[in-house]
Coordinates of all heavy atoms in Angstrom, one line a residue:
M254 N -0.3 -42.3 -0.9 CA -0.2 -43.6 -1.3 C 0.5 -44.4 -0.1 O 1.5 -43.9 0.5 CB 0.7 -43.7 -2.5 CG 1.1 -45.1 -2.9 SD 2.2 -45.4 -4.2 CE 2.8 -43.9 -4.8
Y255 N 0.0 -45.6 0.1 CA 0.6 -46.5 1.1 C 1.6 -47.5 0.4 O 1.2 -48.2 -0.5 CB -0.4 -47.2 1.9 CG 0.2 -48.3 2.8 CD1 0.8 -47.9 4.0 CD2 0.2 -49.6 2.4 CE1 1.4 -48.9 4.8 CE2 0.8 -50.6 3.2 CZ 1.4 -50.2 4.4 OH 2.0 -51.1 5.2
L256 N 2.8 -47.5 0.9 CA 3.8 -48.5 0.5 C 4.2 -49.3 1.7 O 4.6 -48.7 2.7 CB 5.0 -47.9 -0.2 CG 4.8 -47.0 -1.4 CD1 6.1 -46.4 -1.8 CD2 4.2 -47.9 -2.5
S257 N 4.1 -50.6 1.7 CA 4.6 -51.4 2.8 C 6.1 -51.3 2.9 O 6.8 -50.9 1.9 CB 4.2 -52.9 2.7 OG 4.8 -53.5 1.6
H258 N 6.6 -51.6 4.0 CA 8.1 -51.5 4.2 C 8.9 -52.3 3.2 O 9.8 -51.8 2.6 CB 8.4 -51.9 5.7 CG 9.9 -51.8 5.9 ND1 10.6 -50.6 6.1 CD2 10.8 -52.8 6.1 CE1 11.9 -50.8 6.2 NE2 12.0 -52.1 6.3
P259 N 8.5 -53.6 2.9 CA 9.3 -54.3 1.9 C 9.2 -53.7 0.6 O 10.2 -53.7 -0.2 CB 8.6 -55.7 1.9 CG 8.0 -55.8 3.3 CD 7.5 -54.4 3.6
V260 N 8.1 -53.1 0.2 CA 8.0 -52.4 -1.1 C 8.9 -51.2 -1.2 O 9.5 -50.9 -2.2 CB 6.5 -52.0 -1.4 CG1 6.4 -51.2 -2.7 CG2 5.7 -53.3 -1.5
R261 N 8.9 -50.4 -0.1 CA 9.8 -49.3 0.0 C 11.3 -49.7 -0.2 O 12.1 -49.0 -0.9 CB 9.6 -48.5 1.3 CG 8.4 -47.6 1.3 CD 8.2 -46.9 2.5 NE 7.7 -47.8 3.5 CZ 7.7 -47.7 4.8 NH1 8.3 -46.7 5.4 NH2 7.2 -48.6 5.6
R262 N 11.6 -50.8 0.4 CA 13.0 -51.3 0.3 C 13.3 -51.7 -1.1 O 14.3 -51.4 -1.7 CB 13.2 -52.6 1.2 CG 14.7 -53.0 1.1 CD 14.9 -54.5 1.4 NE 14.0 -55.4 0.7 CZ 14.1 -55.9 -0.5 NH1 15.1 -55.5 -1.3 NH2 13.3 -56.8 -1.0
M263 N 12.3 -52.4 -1.8 CA 12.5 -52.8 -3.2 C 12.7 -51.5 -4.1 O 13.4 -51.5 -5.0 CB 11.3 -53.6 -3.7 CG 11.3 -55.0 -3.1 SD 9.8 -55.8 -3.8 CE 9.3 -56.7 -2.4
R264 N 11.9 -50.5 -3.8 CA 11.9 -49.3 -4.6 C 13.3 -48.6 -4.4 O 13.9 -48.1 -5.4 CB 10.8 -48.3 -4.1 CG 10.8 -47.0 -4.8 CD 9.9 -46.0 -4.1 NE 10.5 -45.7 -2.8 CZ 9.8 -45.0 -1.8 NH1 8.6 -44.6 -2.1 NH2 10.3 -44.8 -0.7
D265 N 13.8 -48.5 -3.2 CA 15.0 -47.8 -2.9 C 16.3 -48.6 -3.2 O 17.3 -48.0 -3.5 CB 15.0 -47.3 -1.4 CG 13.8 -46.4 -1.1 OD1 13.3 -45.8 -2.1 OD2 13.5 -46.2 0.0
D266 N 16.2 -49.9 -3.0 CA 17.4 -50.7 -3.2 C 17.0 -52.1 -3.9 O 16.9 -53.1 -3.2 CB 18.0 -51.0 -1.8 CG 19.4 -51.7 -2.0 OD1 20.0 -51.7 -3.0 OD2 19.7 -52.4 -1.0
P267 N 16.6 -52.0 -5.2 CA 16.1 -53.2 -5.8 C 17.2 -54.3 -5.9 O 18.3 -54.1 -6.1 CB 15.7 -52.8 -7.2 CG 16.5 -51.5 -7.4 CD 16.7 -50.9 -6.1
G268 N 16.7 -55.5 -5.7 CA 17.5 -56.7 -5.8 C 17.3 -57.4 -7.2 O 16.7 -56.8 -8.0
E269 N 17.8 -58.6 -7.3 CA 17.7 -59.3 -8.6 C 16.4 -60.1 -8.7 O 16.0 -60.5 -9.8 CB 18.9 -60.2 -8.7 CG 20.3 -59.5 -8.7 CD 20.4 -58.6 -9.9 OE1 20.0 -59.0 -11.0 OE2 20.9 -57.5 -9.8
A270 N 15.8 -60.4 -7.6 CA 14.7 -61.3 -7.6 C 13.4 -60.6 -8.1 O 13.3 -59.4 -8.0 CB 14.4 -61.8 -6.2
P271 N 12.5 -61.4 -8.7 CA 11.2 -60.8 -9.1 C 10.4 -60.5 -7.8 O 10.5 -61.1 -6.8 CB 10.6 -61.8 -10.0 CG 11.2 -63.1 -9.6 CD 12.6 -62.7 -9.1
A272 N 9.4 -59.6 -7.9 CA 8.6 -59.2 -6.8 C 7.1 -59.5 -7.2 O 6.7 -59.3 -8.3 CB 8.7 -57.7 -6.5
T273 N 6.4 -60.1 -6.3 CA 4.9 -60.3 -6.5 C 4.2 -59.4 -5.5 O 4.5 -59.5 -4.3 CB 4.6 -61.8 -6.2 OG1 5.4 -62.6 -7.1 CG2 3.1 -62.1 -6.5
L274 N 3.4 -58.5 -6.0 CA 2.8 -57.4 -5.2 C 1.3 -57.3 -5.4 O 0.8 -57.8 -6.4 CB 3.5 -56.1 -5.6 CG 5.0 -56.0 -5.6 CD1 5.5 -54.7 -6.2 CD2 5.5 -56.2 -4.1
V275 N 0.7 -56.8 -4.4 CA -0.7 -56.4 -4.6 C -0.8 -54.9 -4.8 O -0.3 -54.1 -4.0 CB -1.5 -56.8 -3.3 CG1 -3.0 -56.3 -3.4 CG2 -1.5 -58.3 -3.1
V276 N -1.4 -54.5 -5.9 CA -1.5 -53.1 -6.2 C -3.0 -52.7 -6.2 O -3.8 -53.3 -6.8 CB -0.9 -52.8 -7.6 CG1 -1.1 -51.3 -8.0 CG2 0.5 -53.2 -7.7
E277 N -3.3 -51.6 -5.5 CA -4.6 -51.1 -5.5 C -4.6 -49.7 -6.2 O -3.8 -48.9 -5.9 CB -5.2 -50.9 -4.0 CG -6.6 -50.3 -4.0 CD -7.0 -50.1 -2.6 OE1 -6.4 -50.5 -1.6 OE2 -8.1 -49.5 -2.4
L278 N -5.6 -49.6 -7.1 CA -5.7 -48.3 -7.8 C -6.9 -47.5 -7.3 O -7.9 -48.1 -6.7 CB -5.9 -48.6 -9.3 CG -4.8 -49.3 -10.1 CD1 -5.2 -49.5 -11.5 CD2 -3.5 -48.5 -10.0
D279 N -6.8 -46.2 -7.5 CA -7.9 -45.3 -7.1 C -9.2 -45.7 -7.9 O -9.1 -46.2 -9.0 CB -7.5 -43.9 -7.4 CG -8.5 -42.9 -6.9 OD1 -9.3 -43.2 -6.0 OD2 -8.4 -41.7 -7.3
D280 N -10.3 -45.4 -7.4 CA -11.6 -45.8 -8.1 C -11.7 -45.3 -9.5 O -12.1 -46.0 -10.4 CB -12.8 -45.2 -7.3 CG -13.0 -45.9 -6.0 OD1 -12.6 -47.1 -5.8 OD2 -13.7 -45.3 -5.1
G281 N -11.2 -44.1 -9.8 CA -11.3 -43.6 -11.2 C -10.1 -43.9 -12.1 O -10.1 -43.6 -13.2
A282 N -9.1 -44.6 -11.6 CA -7.9 -44.9 -12.3 C -8.1 -46.0 -13.4 O -8.8 -47.0 -13.1 CB -6.7 -45.3 -11.4
E283 N -7.5 -45.8 -14.5 CA -7.7 -46.8 -15.6 C -6.6 -47.9 -15.4 O -5.4 -47.6 -15.3 CB -7.5 -46.2 -17.0 CG -8.7 -45.3 -17.4 CD -10.0 -46.2 -17.6 OE1 -9.9 -47.3 -18.1 OE2 -11.0 -45.7 -17.2
P284 N -6.9 -49.2 -15.4 CA -5.9 -50.2 -15.3 C -5.0 -50.4 -16.5 O -4.0 -51.0 -16.4 CB -6.8 -51.5 -15.1 CG -8.1 -51.2 -15.4 CD -8.3 -49.7 -15.4
A285 N -5.3 -49.7 -17.6 CA -4.4 -49.8 -18.8 C -3.0 -49.2 -18.4 O -2.0 -49.8 -18.9 CB -5.0 -49.0 -19.9
G286 N -3.0 -48.2 -17.6 CA -1.7 -47.6 -17.2 C -0.9 -48.6 -16.4 O 0.3 -48.7 -16.5
L287 N -1.6 -49.3 -15.5 CA -0.9 -50.4 -14.7 C -0.3 -51.4 -15.6 O 0.8 -51.8 -15.5 CB -1.9 -51.0 -13.7 CG -1.4 -52.2 -12.9 CD1 -0.2 -51.8 -12.0 CD2 -2.5 -52.8 -12.1
H288 N -1.1 -51.9 -16.6 CA -0.7 -52.9 -17.5 C 0.5 -52.5 -18.3 O 1.5 -53.2 -18.5 CB -1.8 -53.4 -18.4 CG -2.9 -54.1 -17.7 ND1 -2.9 -55.5 -17.6 CD2 -4.1 -53.7 -17.2 CE1 -3.9 -55.9 -16.9 NE2 -4.7 -54.8 -16.7
D289 N 0.5 -51.2 -18.8 CA 1.6 -50.7 -19.6 C 2.9 -50.6 -18.8 O 3.9 -50.9 -19.3 CB 1.2 -49.3 -20.2 CG 0.1 -49.4 -21.2 OD1 -0.2 -50.5 -21.7 OD2 -0.5 -48.3 -21.5
T290 N 2.7 -50.1 -17.5 CA 3.9 -49.9 -16.7 C 4.5 -51.3 -16.4 O 5.7 -51.5 -16.4 CB 3.5 -49.2 -15.4 OG1 3.0 -47.9 -15.7 CG2 4.7 -49.1 -14.4
L291 N 3.7 -52.3 -16.1 CA 4.2 -53.6 -15.8 C 4.9 -54.2 -17.1 O 6.0 -54.8 -16.9 CB 3.0 -54.5 -15.4 CG 2.5 -54.2 -14.0 CD1 1.1 -55.0 -13.8 CD2 3.5 -54.5 -12.9
T292 N 4.3 -54.1 -18.2 CA 4.9 -54.6 -19.5 C 6.2 -53.9 -19.7 O 7.2 -54.6 -20.0 CB 3.9 -54.4 -20.6 OG1 2.7 -55.0 -20.4 CG2 4.5 -54.9 -21.9
D293 N 6.3 -52.6 -19.6 CA 7.6 -51.9 -19.8 C 8.6 -52.4 -18.8 O 9.8 -52.3 -19.1 CB 7.4 -50.4 -19.6 CG 6.5 -49.8 -20.7 OD1 6.3 -50.5 -21.8 OD2 6.1 -48.6 -20.6
A294 N 8.2 -52.8 -17.6 CA 9.2 -53.2 -16.6 C 9.5 -54.7 -16.7 O 10.4 -55.2 -16.0 CB 8.6 -53.0 -15.2
G295 N 8.9 -55.4 -17.7 CA 9.2 -56.8 -17.8 C 8.3 -57.7 -17.0 O 8.7 -58.8 -16.7
G296 N 7.2 -57.2 -16.6 CA 6.3 -58.0 -15.7 C 4.9 -58.0 -16.3 O 4.7 -57.8 -17.4
G297 N 3.9 -58.4 -15.4 CA 2.6 -58.4 -15.8 C 1.6 -58.7 -14.7 O 2.0 -58.9 -13.6
V298 N 0.3 -58.7 -15.0 CA -0.7 -59.0 -14.0 C -0.8 -60.5 -13.9 O -0.9 -61.2 -14.9 CB -2.1 -58.4 -14.5 CG1 -3.2 -58.8 -13.6 CG2 -2.0 -56.9 -14.5
V299 N -0.8 -61.0 -12.7 CA -1.0 -62.4 -12.4 C -2.5 -62.7 -12.3 O -3.0 -63.7 -12.8 CB -0.3 -62.8 -11.1 CG1 -0.6 -64.3 -10.7 CG2 1.2 -62.6 -11.3
E300 N -3.2 -61.8 -11.5 CA -4.6 -62.0 -11.3 C -5.3 -60.7 -10.9 O -4.7 -59.9 -10.2 CB -4.8 -63.0 -10.1 CG -6.2 -63.4 -9.7 CD -6.2 -64.4 -8.6 OE1 -5.1 -64.9 -8.2 OE2 -7.3 -64.7 -8.1
E301 N -6.5 -60.5 -11.4 CA -7.4 -59.4 -10.9 C -8.1 -59.9 -9.6 O -8.7 -60.9 -9.6 CB -8.4 -59.0 -11.9 CG -9.2 -57.8 -11.5 CD -10.1 -57.3 -12.6 OE1 -10.0 -57.7 -13.8 OE2 -11.0 -56.5 -12.2
L302 N -7.9 -59.1 -8.5 CA -8.4 -59.6 -7.2 C -9.7 -58.9 -6.9 O -10.4 -59.4 -5.9 CB -7.4 -59.2 -6.1 CG -6.0 -59.8 -6.3 CD1 -5.0 -59.2 -5.2 CD2 -6.0 -61.3 -6.2
G303 N -10.2 -58.0 -7.6 CA -11.4 -57.3 -7.4 C -11.1 -56.1 -6.5 O -10.0 -55.9 -5.9
F304 N -12.1 -55.3 -6.3 CA -12.0 -54.0 -5.5 C -10.9 -53.2 -5.9 O -10.1 -52.6 -5.1 CB -11.9 -54.4 -4.0 CG -13.0 -55.2 -3.5 CD1 -12.9 -56.6 -3.2 CD2 -14.3 -54.6 -3.2 CE1 -14.0 -57.3 -2.8 CE2 -15.3 -55.4 -2.8 CZ -15.2 -56.7 -2.5
D305 N -10.6 -53.1 -7.2 CA -9.6 -52.2 -7.8 C -8.2 -52.7 -7.4 O -7.3 -51.9 -7.3 CB -9.8 -50.8 -7.5 CG -11.1 -50.2 -8.0 OD1 -11.4 -50.5 -9.2 OD2 -11.8 -49.5 -7.3
C306 N -8.0 -54.0 -7.1 CA -6.7 -54.5 -6.7 C -6.3 -55.6 -7.7 O -7.1 -56.4 -8.3 CB -6.8 -55.2 -5.3 SG -7.1 -54.0 -4.0
W307 N -5.0 -55.7 -7.9 CA -4.4 -56.6 -8.9 C -3.2 -57.3 -8.2 O -2.4 -56.6 -7.5 CB -3.9 -55.9 -10.1 CG -5.0 -55.6 -11.0 CD1 -5.5 -56.3 -12.1 CD2 -5.9 -54.5 -11.0 NE1 -6.5 -55.7 -12.7 CE2 -6.8 -54.6 -12.0 CE3 -5.9 -53.4 -10.1 CZ2 -7.8 -53.6 -12.3 CZ3 -6.9 -52.4 -10.3 CH2 -7.8 -52.5 -11.4
L308 N -3.0 -58.6 -8.4 CA -1.8 -59.3 -8.1 C -0.8 -59.2 -9.3 O -1.2 -59.6 -10.4 CB -2.1 -60.7 -7.7 CG -0.9 -61.6 -7.3 CD1 -0.3 -61.1 -6.0 CD2 -1.4 -63.0 -7.1
V309 N 0.3 -58.6 -9.1 CA 1.3 -58.4 -10.2 C 2.6 -59.0 -9.9 O 3.0 -59.2 -8.7 CB 1.4 -56.9 -10.5 CG1 0.1 -56.3 -10.8 CG2 2.1 -56.1 -9.4
R310 N 3.4 -59.3 -10.9 CA 4.8 -59.8 -10.8 C 5.6 -59.0 -11.7 O 5.3 -58.8 -12.9 CB 4.8 -61.3 -11.1 CG 6.1 -61.9 -10.7 CD 5.9 -63.5 -10.8 NE 7.1 -64.2 -10.6 CZ 7.6 -64.5 -9.4 NH1 7.0 -64.1 -8.3 NH2 8.7 -65.2 -9.3
L311 N 6.8 -58.5 -11.2 CA 7.7 -57.8 -12.0 C 9.1 -57.8 -11.3 O 9.2 -58.1 -10.2 CB 7.3 -56.3 -12.2 CG 7.4 -55.4 -10.9 CD1 7.3 -53.9 -11.4 CD2 6.3 -55.6 -9.9
P312 N 10.2 -57.5 -12.1 CA 11.5 -57.4 -11.5 C 11.5 -56.3 -10.5 O 10.9 -55.3 -10.7 CB 12.4 -57.1 -12.7 CG 11.6 -57.5 -13.9 CD 10.2 -57.3 -13.6
E313 N 12.3 -56.5 -9.4 CA 12.4 -55.4 -8.4 C 12.8 -54.1 -9.0 O 12.4 -53.1 -8.5 CB 13.3 -55.9 -7.2 CG 12.7 -56.8 -6.3 CD 13.5 -57.1 -5.0 OE1 14.4 -56.3 -4.7 OE2 13.2 -58.1 -4.4
A314 N 13.6 -54.2 -10.0 CA 14.1 -52.9 -10.7 C 12.9 -52.1 -11.2 O 13.1 -50.9 -11.4 CB 15.1 -53.2 -11.8
G315 N 11.8 -52.7 -11.4 CA 10.6 -51.9 -11.9 C 9.7 -51.4 -10.9 O 8.7 -50.7 -11.2
V316 N 10.0 -51.7 -9.6 CA 9.1 -51.3 -8.5 C 9.0 -49.8 -8.4 O 8.0 -49.2 -8.1 CB 9.5 -51.9 -7.2 CG1 8.7 -51.4 -6.0 CG2 9.3 -53.5 -7.3
A317 N 10.1 -49.1 -8.6 CA 10.1 -47.6 -8.5 C 9.2 -47.0 -9.5 O 8.5 -46.1 -9.2 CB 11.6 -47.1 -8.7
E318 N 9.2 -47.5 -10.7 CA 8.3 -47.0 -11.8 C 6.9 -47.3 -11.4 O 6.0 -46.4 -11.6 CB 8.6 -47.7 -13.1 CG 7.8 -47.1 -14.3 CD 8.2 -45.7 -14.6 OE1 9.3 -45.2 -14.4 OE2 7.3 -45.0 -15.2
L319 N 6.6 -48.4 -10.9 CA 5.2 -48.8 -10.4 C 4.8 -47.8 -9.3 O 3.6 -47.4 -9.3 CB 5.2 -50.2 -9.9 CG 3.9 -50.8 -9.5 CD1 2.9 -50.8 -10.7 CD2 4.1 -52.2 -8.9
C320 N 5.7 -47.5 -8.4 CA 5.3 -46.6 -7.3 C 5.0 -45.2 -7.8 O 4.3 -44.4 -7.1 CB 6.5 -46.5 -6.3 SG 6.7 -48.1 -5.4
S321 N 5.6 -44.8 -8.9 CA 5.3 -43.4 -9.4 C 4.1 -43.4 -10.4 O 3.8 -42.3 -10.8 CB 6.6 -43.0 -10.2 OG 6.8 -43.7 -11.4
L322 N 3.4 -44.5 -10.6 CA 2.3 -44.5 -11.5 C 1.1 -43.7 -10.8 O 0.8 -43.9 -9.7 CB 1.8 -46.0 -11.7 CG 0.6 -46.2 -12.6 CD1 0.9 -45.7 -14.0 CD2 0.3 -47.7 -12.6
S323 N 0.5 -42.9 -11.6 CA -0.6 -42.1 -11.2 C -1.8 -43.0 -10.9 O -2.1 -43.9 -11.6 CB -1.0 -41.1 -12.3 OG -2.1 -40.3 -11.9
G324 N -2.5 -42.7 -9.8 CA -3.7 -43.5 -9.5 C -3.5 -44.7 -8.5 O -4.4 -45.3 -8.1
V325 N -2.2 -44.9 -8.2 CA -1.9 -46.0 -7.2 C -2.3 -45.5 -5.8 O -1.8 -44.5 -5.4 CB -0.4 -46.5 -7.3 CG1 -0.1 -47.4 -6.2 CG2 -0.2 -47.1 -8.7
V326 N -3.0 -46.3 -5.1 CA -3.4 -46.0 -3.7 C -2.5 -46.8 -2.7 O -2.2 -46.3 -1.7 CB -4.9 -46.4 -3.5 CG1 -5.3 -46.2 -2.1 CG2 -5.8 -45.6 -4.4
R327 N -2.2 -48.0 -3.1 CA -1.5 -48.9 -2.1 C -0.7 -50.0 -2.9 O -1.2 -50.5 -3.9 CB -2.6 -49.6 -1.2 CG -2.1 -50.7 -0.3 CD -3.2 -51.2 0.5 NE -4.3 -51.8 -0.2 CZ -4.4 -53.1 -0.4 NH1 -3.6 -53.9 0.1 NH2 -5.5 -53.5 -1.1
I328 N 0.5 -50.3 -2.4 CA 1.3 -51.4 -2.9 C 1.8 -52.2 -1.7 O 2.5 -51.6 -0.8 CB 2.4 -51.0 -3.8 CG1 1.9 -50.1 -5.0 CG2 3.2 -52.2 -4.4 CD1 3.0 -49.5 -5.9
E329 N 1.6 -53.5 -1.7 CA 2.1 -54.3 -0.6 C 2.6 -55.6 -1.3 O 2.3 -55.9 -2.4 CB 0.9 -54.7 0.4 CG 0.3 -53.5 1.1 CD -0.7 -53.9 2.0 OE1 -0.4 -54.5 3.1 OE2 -1.9 -53.6 1.8
T330 N 3.3 -56.4 -0.5 CA 3.8 -57.7 -1.0 C 2.6 -58.6 -1.0 O 1.6 -58.4 -0.3 CB 4.9 -58.3 -0.2 OG1 4.4 -58.5 1.1 CG2 6.1 -57.3 -0.1
D331 N 2.7 -59.7 -1.7 CA 1.6 -60.7 -1.8 C 1.5 -61.5 -0.5 O 0.5 -62.2 -0.3 CB 1.9 -61.7 -2.9 CG 3.1 -62.6 -2.7 OD1 4.0 -62.2 -2.0 OD2 3.1 -63.7 -3.3
A332 N 2.3 -61.2 0.5 CA 2.2 -61.9 1.8 C 0.9 -61.4 2.5 O 0.4 -62.1 3.3 CB 3.4 -61.5 2.7
T333 N 0.3 -60.3 2.1 CA -0.9 -59.8 2.6 C -2.1 -60.8 2.3 O -3.1 -60.8 3.0 CB -1.3 -58.4 2.2 OG1 -1.4 -58.4 0.7 CG2 -0.3 -57.4 2.6
L334 N -1.9 -61.5 1.2 CA -3.0 -62.5 0.8 C -2.9 -63.8 1.5 O -3.8 -64.6 1.5 CB -2.8 -62.8 -0.7 CG -3.0 -61.6 -1.7 CD1 -2.8 -62.1 -3.1 CD2 -4.4 -61.0 -1.5
E335 N -1.8 -64.0 2.2 CA -1.6 -65.3 2.9 C -2.1 -65.3 4.3 O -2.0 -66.3 5.0 CB -0.1 -65.6 2.9 CG 0.4 -65.9 1.5 CD 1.9 -66.0 1.4 OE1 2.6 -66.1 2.5 OE2 2.5 -66.1 0.3
R336 N -2.7 -64.3 4.7 CA -3.3 -64.2 6.1 C -4.6 -64.9 6.1 O -5.6 -64.3 5.7 CB -3.4 -62.8 6.6 CG -2.0 -62.2 6.8 CD -2.2 -60.8 7.3 NE -0.9 -60.1 7.3 CZ -0.2 -59.9 8.4 NH1 -0.8 -60.1 9.6 NH2 0.9 -59.3 8.4
T337 N -4.7 -66.1 6.6 CA -5.9 -66.9 6.6 C -6.1 -67.5 8.0 O -5.1 -67.6 8.8 CB -6.0 -68.0 5.6 OG1 -4.9 -68.9 5.8 CG2 -5.9 -67.4 4.2
V338 N -7.2 -68.1 8.3 CA -7.5 -68.8 9.5 C -7.0 -70.2 9.3 O -7.3 -70.9 8.3 CB -9.0 -68.8 9.9 CG1 -9.2 -69.6 11.1 CG2 -9.4 -67.4 10.1
D339 N -6.2 -70.7 10.2 CA -5.7 -72.1 10.1 C -6.8 -73.0 10.7 O -7.1 -73.1 11.9 CB -4.5 -72.3 11.0 CG -3.8 -73.6 10.8 OD1 -4.5 -74.5 10.2 OD2 -2.8 -73.9 11.4
E340 N -7.6 -73.7 9.8 CA -8.7 -74.5 10.2 C -8.2 -75.9 10.7 O -9.0 -76.7 11.1 CB -9.6 -74.7 9.0 CG -10.3 -73.4 8.6 CD -11.2 -73.5 7.4 OE1 -11.4 -74.6 6.9 OE2 -11.7 -72.5 7.0
T341 N -6.9 -76.2 10.7 CA -6.5 -77.4 11.2 C -6.3 -77.4 12.7 O -6.1 -78.5 13.3 CB -5.1 -77.8 10.5 OG1 -4.1 -76.9 10.8 CG2 -5.3 -77.9 9.0
V342 N -6.3 -76.2 13.3 CA -6.1 -76.1 14.7 C -7.4 -76.3 15.4 O -8.4 -75.7 15.0 CB -5.5 -74.7 15.1 CG1 -5.4 -74.6 16.6 CG2 -4.2 -74.5 14.4
E343 N -7.4 -77.3 16.3 CA -8.7 -77.6 17.0 C -8.6 -77.0 18.4 O -7.5 -76.7 18.9 CB -8.9 -79.1 17.0 CG -9.1 -79.6 15.6 CD -9.6 -81.0 15.6 OE1 -10.1 -81.5 16.6 OE2 -9.4 -81.7 14.6
G344 N -9.7 -77.0 19.1 CA -9.8 -76.5 20.5 C -9.1 -77.5 21.4 O -8.3 -78.3 21.0
E345 N -9.6 -77.5 22.7 CA -8.9 -78.3 23.7 C -9.1 -79.8 23.5 O -8.3 -80.6 23.8 CB -9.5 -77.9 25.1 CG -9.1 -76.5 25.5 CD -9.7 -76.2 26.8 OE1 -10.1 -77.1 27.6 OE2 -9.8 -75.0 27.1
R346 N -10.2 -80.2 22.8 CA -10.4 -81.6 22.6 C -10.1 -81.9 21.1 O -10.4 -81.1 20.3 CB -11.8 -82.0 23.0 CG -12.8 -81.2 22.3 CD -14.2 -81.6 22.7 NE -15.1 -80.9 21.8 CZ -16.3 -80.4 22.2 NH1 -16.6 -80.5 23.5 NH2 -17.0 -79.7 21.4
S347 N -9.6 -83.1 20.8 CA -9.3 -83.4 19.4 C -10.4 -84.2 18.8 O -10.4 -84.4 17.6 CB -8.0 -84.1 19.4 OG -8.0 -85.3 20.1
E348 N -11.3 -84.8 19.6 CA -12.4 -85.6 19.0 C -13.7 -85.0 19.4 O -13.8 -84.4 20.5 CB -12.3 -87.0 19.5 CG -11.0 -87.7 19.0 CD -11.0 -89.2 19.6 OE1 -12.1 -89.7 20.0 OE2 -9.9 -89.7 19.6
P349 N -14.7 -85.1 18.5 CA -16.0 -84.5 18.9 C -16.6 -85.3 20.1 O -16.3 -86.5 20.2 CB -16.9 -84.6 17.7 CG -16.2 -85.6 16.8 CD -14.7 -85.6 17.2
P350 N -17.4 -84.7 20.9 CA -18.0 -85.5 22.0 C -18.9 -86.6 21.5 O -19.5 -86.4 20.4 CB -18.8 -84.4 22.8 CG -18.9 -83.3 21.9 CD -17.8 -83.3 20.9
E351 N -19.1 -87.6 22.2 CA -19.9 -88.7 21.8 C -21.4 -88.4 21.5 O -22.0 -89.0 20.7 CB -19.9 -89.9 22.8 CG -18.5 -90.5 23.0 CD -18.5 -91.5 24.0 OE1 -19.6 -92.1 24.3 OE2 -17.4 -91.8 24.6
S352 N -21.9 -87.3 22.1 CA -23.3 -86.9 21.9 C -23.5 -86.2 20.5 O -24.7 -86.1 20.1 CB -23.8 -86.0 23.0 OG -23.0 -84.8 23.0
E353 N -22.5 -85.8 19.9 CA -22.6 -85.1 18.6 C -22.7 -86.1 17.5 O -21.8 -87.0 17.4 CB -21.5 -84.1 18.3 CG -21.5 -82.9 19.1 CD -20.5 -81.9 18.8 OE1 -19.8 -82.0 17.7 OE2 -20.2 -81.0 19.6
D354 N -23.7 -86.0 16.6 CA -23.8 -86.8 15.4 C -23.0 -86.2 14.3 O -23.4 -85.1 13.8 CB -25.3 -87.0 15.1 CG -25.5 -88.1 14.0 OD1 -24.5 -88.6 13.5 OD2 -26.6 -88.3 13.7
T355 N -22.0 -86.8 13.8 CA -21.2 -86.2 12.8 C -21.4 -86.9 11.4 O -20.6 -86.7 10.5 CB -19.7 -86.3 13.1 OG1 -19.3 -87.7 13.4 CG2 -19.4 -85.4 14.4
R356 N -22.4 -87.8 11.3 CA -22.7 -88.5 10.1 C -23.2 -87.5 9.0 O -23.9 -86.5 9.3 CB -23.8 -89.5 10.3 CG -23.3 -90.7 11.2 CD -24.4 -91.6 11.4 NE -25.4 -91.0 12.2 CZ -26.7 -91.4 12.4 NH1 -27.1 -92.5 11.8 NH2 -27.5 -90.7 13.2
E357 N -22.8 -87.8 7.8 CA -23.3 -86.9 6.7 C -24.6 -87.5 6.2 O -24.9 -88.7 6.2 CB -22.3 -86.9 5.5 CG -21.0 -86.2 5.9 CD -20.1 -86.2 4.7 OE1 -20.5 -86.4 3.5 OE2 -18.9 -85.9 4.9
V358 N -25.5 -86.6 5.8 CA -26.8 -87.0 5.4 C -26.9 -87.0 3.9 O -26.3 -86.2 3.2 CB -27.9 -86.1 5.9 CG1 -29.3 -86.5 5.4 CG2 -27.9 -86.1 7.4

């Protein structure tokens, strides 16, 4: 099982803040166990992400129990979802060349 460094820190030394994590389960694992573990820890599923992954939120004190759940393949912080391309950054020129037609049809 892969645990990101921040998740290992939460597991070993939980703080007071809630944690928002991405949890990936093995192909054959039933998500009911994940839901039960989260409920017992005072958390829940925020969103099903697909590909056997869920965005979950729970108190840091429940992270150790989540890490011990059978069928877990990977747990990372939700920061992994924030890696996107910044489309506001433009190349060397800030305006399109005069020869390009940018009108909408």
Side-chain angles (χ1 to χ4, degrees):
M254 170 188 6
Y255 171 76
L256 300 177
S257 68
H258 179 73
V260 172
R261 284 181 280 160
R262 185 210 41 86
M263 289 179 216
R264 177 194 62 191
D265 298 339
D266 186 22
E269 298 296 319
T273 305
L274 307 171
V275 175
V276 178
E277 179 182 353
L278 296 179
D279 190 14
D280 289 339
E283 288 294 323
L287 174 64
H288 290 273
D289 292 344
T290 300
L291 291 168
T292 300
D293 292 346
V298 172
V299 175
E300 181 179 355
E301 184 175 344
L302 301 173
F304 302 104
D305 297 316
C306 294
W307 285 263
L308 181 65
V309 304
R310 189 166 174 86
L311 73 162
E313 282 190 18
V316 172
E318 184 68 26
L319 183 62
C320 291
S321 68
L322 180 64
S323 177
V325 172
V326 174
R327 171 179 61 102
I328 304 175
E329 299 181 68
T330 65
D331 66 334
T333 60
L334 298 176
E335 296 173 7
R336 294 181 185 250
T337 61
V338 175
D339 185 355
E340 295 178 6
T341 62
V342 176
E343 296 190 23
E345 293 179 18
R346 57 181 185 219
S347 61
E348 296 180 18
E351 292 179 25
S352 62
E353 287 185 15
D354 186 358
T355 59
R356 293 178 290 165
E357 292 183 18
V358 177

